[in-house]
Amino acid sequence: MTRRIALLAAAVAALLGLAMPVSAATTKPSVVVLGLPGLQWNEVTATATPTLWRLARAGSSGALSIRSAAGVTCPADGWLTVGAGNRVRAGQSCTEEPVVVTTARKASVSGFADITKDNGQLNFGAVPGILATTLAGRGDCVAAVGPDSVIGAADRDGVVGHYAGQVSPSALATCPVTVVTGPTVTDAAGAAAADAVVAQVDAGRPPGSVLLVVGLSDTDPRARAHLHVAIASGGMFGPGRLRSQSTRKAPYVQLIDVAATVLDLRGAPAVSAVDGQPWRRVGTTPADVQQLVDADRAAGAVRAALPWAVVLLVVLVTAGAAVSLTGRRRLAALLSLVALAAPVATYLVNLTPWFRAPVPTVAVLLGTAALALLIAVPAFRLGEARSWVIAAGAVAGLTFAALVADVVTGSRLQMDSVLGYSPLVAGRFTGVGNVAFGVLGSAALLLATSVAVKRPGWRGFGNIVAVGAVAVLADGAPMWGSDVGGVLALVPGFAVLALLCAGVRLSWRRALGIAAGAVAVVLAFGLLDYARPVSAQTHLGRFIGRILHGGAGTVLDRKLRSDLDLLTANAATLIVPLVILVALWLILRPGPRLARAYTRHPELRYGLLSLTVLALVGLIVNDSGIAIPAVAVLLGVPFVLAILTGDTSEHPRADEPHVLP
């Protein structure tokens, strides 16, 4: 029976067009890992660093996210990550670097047991030194060349059995896997020095070996984080771009992937403590170095622009509300539509290279505002000509359609968007992130609400279900959104809306049934993903694997701690639960003006209630889920304002069931 289920899931996956990555090479080449702290792509040129340039053209290149468990990934954190294949930290700060003790042929890391204990409390499931220990269990030794690399080459006891102080052909051929210390790069001179070491290692490494060059850390704790150099040369790594299943997006790879890549090249099976995934080559043409430089530039620009973009969104919502109090209804309706369109505009502006502007923050703010206005003006005319419900629904529909299209085509608009995700944070590289889910889910519910207003009762039930099905599939399918928490919030949100609009009263029994249905949908997506080869699985399938084989508790504990930590991080975050309570009060006990709107459009109340359900469930089930209620407010408030301040000539209906007090 289990085999039949797996075969059925695989068949469904094939019908949905799931791409299966090419398996690793069957040979077992030697591997040399060269760490160059601080090396960035803007320091790699044909003239200043000819060896790196040649390897980038002859091999596969990528933009390396070095995110670790530390606030700033310092060199020691980077080296420790190489040996753990997971998010770890070497100390509480960059000043707490481990002490490496070396002899003529062996080396060790003092206090390695304390480092292991410290990382065990972080709930990443990381095991420092797991790379060397796993390889040793298969008869492969790991050598270290240079003192710093000992931290990455050490086994779980903090010991390296084969050590050399200098690069030489014999040192690089001692073991099947060698980890080499390279110079720290902080300027052009450092890049040139690093290139000289790269040339020495490339010339001295064993024939047929694979060379992995990684800019494994930042160097200035006070500066912003960067994406760094990742090059794989030799073996299956010919000209092309790098990607891994942990990012699912070329040319991005992670530092936590290095250990998985080494294990894969040496033919070792996946290790549960290693959270990274093996590097793979994409395409057959060399990566464009300028695009790799732009990847880091965009990541830095969006980080600087984020707080100002949030201010812009809040100002637009506030402006619409403030103008509505003055009685200037048409202007208030226009401003509300602009505010409603602003979230999707933050994604659409990524169709332009705004990060290349002289002042990127100004460019992205002006671009966002211009696009929002461009969307709002036709909607405003539609509202004047036909219905403000249709106008607001059209903007919500455009937002929903844009995000669904983005998800099914690789999530390019979400990357480096102010309401998307950043490769520096490395929470996601594709699929639907928490903030984007807030936009997608809220827009989907508001679209369904507007449809329900125009097709009340059971007539609109099918439309609500259809919109909900598209939203759930786009958000939860492993080849698209791959979002667990989003599905757990979407299913209750749409179920509440559909049932209320159909005149069905809610009860605790129905609520439990809705919750069970949400879990069932997530499990279905997870099992579908788990049925695929391990190399093709997303975190959904890997989580199902942890449920079946152990380790799921660590993931759930980490997510819960993350959510609680963020919720109590500062006084501002504590406002979000208050906002949810206020929203519930306005829905259930509205003022006179809102009550009149509910009389004209009872579905509006149901839509706002379903949006509150989505925000509340999203807050609970997602790590860092506090962003979801905030985004729901940014869409829900202008949606309602646009309808309230627009034409109110529509008369109350007598055919609508009222199932709320």
Side-chain angles (χ1 to χ4, degrees), residues 203-514:
R205 64 188 172 106
S209 63
V210 173
L211 173 61
L212 306 180
V213 180
V214 291
L216 52 77
S217 74
D218 287 311
T219 57
D220 185 355
R222 298 165 298 180
R224 78 162 179 90
H226 287 274
L227 296 175
H228 292 266
V229 169
I231 299 175
S233 180
M236 63 179 178
F237 294 108
R241 297 177 299 161
L242 288 173
R243 63 155 277 177
S244 76
Q245 198 59 17
S246 75
T247 66
R248 295 193 295 149
K249 186 191 294 291
Y252 298 97
V253 289
Q254 299 191 72
L255 186 61
I256 63 173
D257 297 331
V258 172
T261 304
V262 173
L263 291 172
D264 184 67
L265 289 169
R266 293 301 302 162
V271 180
S272 60
V274 175
D275 202 40
Q277 300 295 312
W279 289 357
R280 293 286 184 262
R281 181 182 70 163
V282 176
T284 57
T285 57
D288 186 340
V289 172
Q290 185 56 52
Q291 289 183 353
L292 298 172
V293 173
D294 281 348
D296 179 55
R297 182 185 298 175
V302 75
R303 171 169 288 193
L306 176 58
W308 296 103
V310 172
V311 169
L312 173 64
L313 296 175
V314 172
V315 166
L316 289 174
V317 173
T318 305
V323 173
S324 69
L325 297 176
T326 67
R328 304 174 66 180
R329 304 175 68 85
R330 296 179 74 252
L331 178 59
L334 176 60
L335 288 175
S336 296
L337 290 173
V338 171
L340 182 59
V344 72
T346 66
Y347 299 110
L348 296 177
V349 76
N350 268 11
L351 293 171
T352 68
W354 60 268
F355 52 85
R356 295 179 184 170
V359 186
T361 297
V362 173
V364 73
L365 294 180
L366 291 178
T368 298
L371 285 170
L373 184 62
L374 188 64
I375 295 169
V377 168
F380 178 79
R381 292 175 177 170
L382 180 63
E384 287 191 312
R386 295 192 60 185
S387 165
W388 293 98
V389 173
I390 294 177
V395 176
L398 175 63
T399 302
F400 176 56
L403 279 173
V404 169
D406 183 49
V407 168
V408 301
T409 56
S411 306
R412 292 172 177 82
L413 296 181
Q414 291 181 67
M415 177 62 77
D416 293 320
S417 166
V418 293
L419 294 184
Y421 32 68
S422 167
L424 300 177
V425 177
R428 269 186 180 269
F429 293 79
T430 190
V432 179
N434 283 341
V435 180
F437 164 72
V439 178
L440 184 149
S442 299
L445 280 171
L446 295 176
L447 169 62
T449 298
S450 65
V451 171
V453 169
K454 293 302 177 182
R455 295 181 61 84
W458 282 101
R459 289 185 299 163
F461 183 85
N463 294 323
I464 296 173
V465 172
V467 174
V470 173
V472 169
L473 185 61
D475 180 72
M479 67 289 193
W480 293 331
S482 187
D483 182 20
V484 174
V487 172
L488 293 175
L490 275 171
V491 172
F494 271 94
V496 167
L497 179 61
L499 291 176
L500 291 179
C501 287
V504 179
R505 290 185 178 274
L506 297 178
S507 64
W508 285 110
R509 180 176 296 179
R510 289 193 175 99
L512 291 175
I514 291 170

